[in-house]
């Protein structure tokens, strides 16, 4: 049996559909509709204790034993280990993959995610401070990424799972009100990534 992907049509869900497509792994999708609070279903919480998508069940996990995994970064590293793709074996080449993957998890996700939230707050007084704060920080993060991509083609040099993680969020740049024209190196990388057939398939998979 193949891998089951539990996901919804969000940045964190799309990271994994694009990685599965790029790695040419067979999988089936189990939509977890977070608009209907399906992430709190006790059966789902058994595999994703923080009640968030994405999660996977690999029925042919280590030593042929089924395994479930939550947290998109853990899933990406697992899939990279499993396939030997987009995750270098050598420690020195792996370090930048880990750095940029952790950069995404600690920053470029939690911060633009706050913009997605506060932009919808109707009361101007409630919205102003938080939206300004998180929008400014989001722009700063794009600046960090732009400077990195001025020196390398992909975040870790070679294409890696870190690019999939970051692309999931960059895909929503309009929603967090970022004009990619201000970040030419991010823009170049973004369009190159989005043009990849595997990435295109990953975004086309029905997740809602
Ligand atoms: N750090 C987690 C974040 C997962 C996450 O925030 N998922 C969102 C969708 S993008 C979710 O499930 N939200 C539902 C909720 O917060 O109740 C990961 O990378 O997997």
């Amino acid at each position: 049996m193949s891998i089951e992907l539990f996901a919804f049509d969000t940045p964190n869900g799309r990271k994994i559909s694009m990685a599965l497509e790029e790695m040419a792994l067979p999988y089936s999708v189990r939509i977890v509709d977070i608009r209907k609070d399906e992430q709190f279903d006790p059966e789902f919480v058994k595999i994703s204790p923080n009640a968030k998508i994405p999660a996977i069940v690999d029925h042919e996990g280590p030593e042929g034993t089924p395994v479930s995994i939550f947290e998109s970064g853990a899933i990406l590293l697992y899939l990279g280990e499993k396939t030997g793709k987009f995750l270098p074996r050598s420690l020195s080449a792996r370090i930048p993959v880990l750095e940029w993957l952790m950069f995404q998890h600690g920053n470029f996700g939690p911060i633009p995610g706050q913009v997605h939230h506060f932009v919808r707050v109707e009361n101007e007084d409630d919205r102003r401070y938080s939206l300004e704060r998180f929008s400014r920080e989001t722009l700063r993060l794009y600046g960090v990424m732009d400077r990195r991509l001025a020196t390398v083609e992909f975040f870790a040099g070679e294409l890696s799972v870190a690019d999939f993680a970051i692309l999931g969020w960059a895909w929503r740049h309009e929603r967090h009100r970022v004009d990619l024209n201000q970040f030419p190196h991010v823009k170049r990388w973004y369009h190159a990534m989005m043009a990849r057939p595997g990435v295109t398939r990953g975004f086309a998979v029905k997740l809602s």
Side-chain angles (χ1 to χ4, degrees):
M1 221 196 295
S2 66
I3 293 172
E4 283 179 282
L5 166 62
F6 295 77
F8 196 60
D9 186 18
T10 68
N12 291 312
R14 288 293 170 196
K15 290 175 192 174
I16 310 303
S17 60
M18 78 174 91
L20 287 164
E21 291 289 345
E22 283 280 343
M23 292 173 184
L25 282 166
Y27 67 101
S28 57
V29 172
R30 301 274 301 271
I31 293 173
V32 179
D33 192 336
I34 62 174
R35 291 173 311 195
K36 297 182 184 159
D37 281 350
E38 289 178 0
Q39 70 274 30
F40 299 111
D41 181 324
E43 283 305 307
F44 179 63
V45 173
K46 279 185 194 163
I47 62 168
S48 185
N50 195 27
K52 296 199 187 285
I53 63 95
I56 64 166
V57 174
D58 184 357
H59 294 275
E60 288 161 16
E63 288 87 45
T65 313
V67 66
S68 68
I69 308 171
F70 72 100
E71 281 290 333
S72 61
I75 297 169
L76 288 172
L77 290 172
Y78 171 77
L79 296 176
E81 286 284 353
K82 180 182 172 82
T83 60
K85 294 178 182 170
F86 309 115
L87 185 62
R89 292 270 170 236
S90 94
L91 185 54
S92 57
R94 190 173 284 209
I95 286 168
V97 178
L98 297 176
E99 287 176 323
W100 289 99
L101 188 62
M102 300 305 154
F103 162 85
Q104 186 279 303
H105 275 264
N107 302 273
F108 189 62
I111 299 294
Q114 295 302 320
V115 177
H116 296 182
H117 172 82
F118 283 107
V119 86
R120 291 201 316 257
V121 171
E122 282 181 13
N123 183 300
E124 169 68 19
D125 291 335
D126 290 343
R127 190 180 58 213
R128 190 182 310 110
Y129 175 82
S130 304
L131 191 55
E132 268 180 32
R133 174 181 164 82
F134 291 115
S135 295
R136 198 180 322 114
E137 180 65 0
T138 296
L139 286 171
R140 194 189 66 78
L141 294 172
Y142 273 87
V144 172
M145 295 191 291
D146 206 54
R147 285 190 292 282
R148 174 64 176 170
L149 290 171
T151 62
V152 286
E153 186 175 1
F154 300 104
F155 279 93
E158 300 290 313
L159 179 64
S160 76
V161 292
D163 295 286
F164 303 146
I166 294 172
L167 187 64
W169 282 92
W171 168 56
R172 287 300 204 212
H173 60 275
E174 285 177 1
R175 189 161 171 209
H176 45 257
R177 297 176 160 182
V178 167
D179 177 1
L180 289 189
N181 290 317
Q182 289 180 28
F183 304 98
H185 304 291
V186 175
K187 185 177 175 183
R188 183 266 305 156
W189 165 88
Y190 177 80
H191 288 297
M193 290 297 295
M194 293 301 273
R196 292 181 61 84
V199 169
T200 305
R201 287 195 302 276
F203 278 104
V205 171
K206 186 171 157 39
L207 293 186
S208 62

